[in-house]
């Protein structure tokens, strides 16, 4: 199944209510100003639709304990488009472009992005999508690994998250997940090393 199908499946699951006990996001004041949404200074604010995440007050409302690594199964532009489409009911906090490691922030870290397919993990994690396909390792460029690792390191520093594989996990490791990303070709040893040296 392609990423679009998986994202739509996640959206259908979200509609059930099991994943979304909190009220849906509505008009969000920070979306009006480009810089207001930025938690990571090297990211570009590219907001998701307010219909695709839950407004929260993290880390007061929920502790942030994990970073969840995803691979989009889409292009960077298509992923942004999906997150901006209110009918899709899916989002992640960040998207990292393959070619140059450019980082877009789509949801504020204080809010709950709908990325993990597990409400508990959504509330306690920051989700990072990476442009590409799990079976096409050419998308996992040095620039992508480096910039994503710097982002993850920053998130870990800000929330006191240990920089290890118990706390930086793949989407496939989320309990109940039916996704396989980031897949067997994602270089975890390299990534965790870069996170720790960022």
């Amino acid at each position: 199944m392609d990423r679009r199908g998986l994202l739509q499946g996640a959206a259908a699951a979200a509609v059930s209510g099991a994943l979304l006990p909190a009220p849906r996001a509505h008009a969000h004041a920070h979306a009006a100003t480009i810089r207001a949404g930025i938690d990571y200074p090297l990211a570009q604010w590219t907001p998701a639709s307010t219909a695709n995440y839950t407004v929260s007050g993290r880390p007061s409302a929920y502790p942030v304990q994990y970073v969840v690594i995803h691979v989009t199964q889409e292009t960077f532009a298509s992923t942004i488009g999906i997150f901006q489409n209110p009918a899709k009911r899916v989002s992640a906090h960040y998207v990292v472009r393959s070619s140059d490691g450019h980082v877009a922030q789509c949801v504020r870290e204080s809010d709950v992005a709908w990325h993990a397919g597990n409400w508990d993990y959504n509330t306690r994690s920051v989700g990072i999508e990476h442009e590409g396909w799990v079976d096409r390792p050419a998308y996992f460029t040095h620039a992508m690994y480096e910039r994503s690792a710097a982002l993850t390191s920053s998130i870990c520093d800000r929330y006191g998250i240990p920089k290890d594989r118990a706390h930086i996990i793949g989407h496939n490791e989320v309990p109940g997940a039916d996704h396989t990303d980031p897949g067997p070709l994602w270089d975890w040893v390299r990534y965790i090393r870069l996170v720790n040296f960022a």
Side-chain angles (χ1 to χ4, degrees):
M1 180 181 289
D2 67 15
R3 181 66 172 180
R4 181 169 287 123
L6 292 173
L7 290 173
Q8 289 171 338
V15 172
S16 71
L19 297 177
L20 305 173
R24 279 197 351 225
H26 291 292
H28 211 139
H30 69 76
T33 318
I34 291 178
R35 295 305 297 176
I38 297 294
D39 292 299
Y40 181 64
L42 300 179
Q44 175 185 1
W45 179 237
T46 311
S49 167
T50 57
N52 292 341
Y53 61 90
T54 300
V55 173
S56 186
R58 302 187 320 162
S60 298
Y62 302 99
V64 179
Q65 301 169 315
Y66 300 99
V67 176
V68 180
I69 302 299
H70 301 265
V71 171
T72 62
Q73 298 295 106
E74 293 283 350
T75 65
F76 178 87
S78 292
T79 302
I80 297 295
I82 289 167
F83 292 171
Q84 292 179 335
N85 181 340
K88 296 299 185 179
R89 316 255 315 153
V90 66
S91 62
H93 294 92
Y94 296 96
V95 184
V96 183
R97 191 163 55 205
S98 172
S99 62
D100 57 2
H102 173 76
V103 177
Q105 182 170 359
C106 302
V107 176
R108 290 191 70 186
E109 292 174 11
S110 61
D111 295 331
V112 179
W114 302 344
H115 64 97
N118 174 317
W119 176 253
D120 182 49
Y121 273 71
N122 280 345
T123 63
R124 297 188 292 130
S125 66
V126 172
I128 305 175
E129 288 278 4
H130 296 82
E131 179 184 26
W133 284 261
V134 297
D135 59 347
R136 300 184 200 171
Y139 275 91
F140 304 155
T141 64
H142 180 68
M144 174 184 276
Y145 275 121
E146 267 198 339
R147 301 278 173 82
S148 174
L151 169 61
T152 294
S153 181
S154 174
I155 293 165
C156 290
D157 288 345
R158 283 184 275 120
Y159 296 102
I161 301 170
K163 297 176 182 178
D164 60 30
R165 285 287 285 119
H167 297 88
I168 303 168
I169 64 173
H171 191 182
N172 62 309
E173 297 170 296
V174 172
D178 61 356
H179 290 234
T180 62
D181 60 302
L185 302 178
W186 182 263
D187 190 340
W188 280 111
V189 172
R190 176 184 184 185
Y191 190 70
I192 296 298
R193 184 173 62 244
L194 287 168
V195 169
N196 278 279
F197 288 100

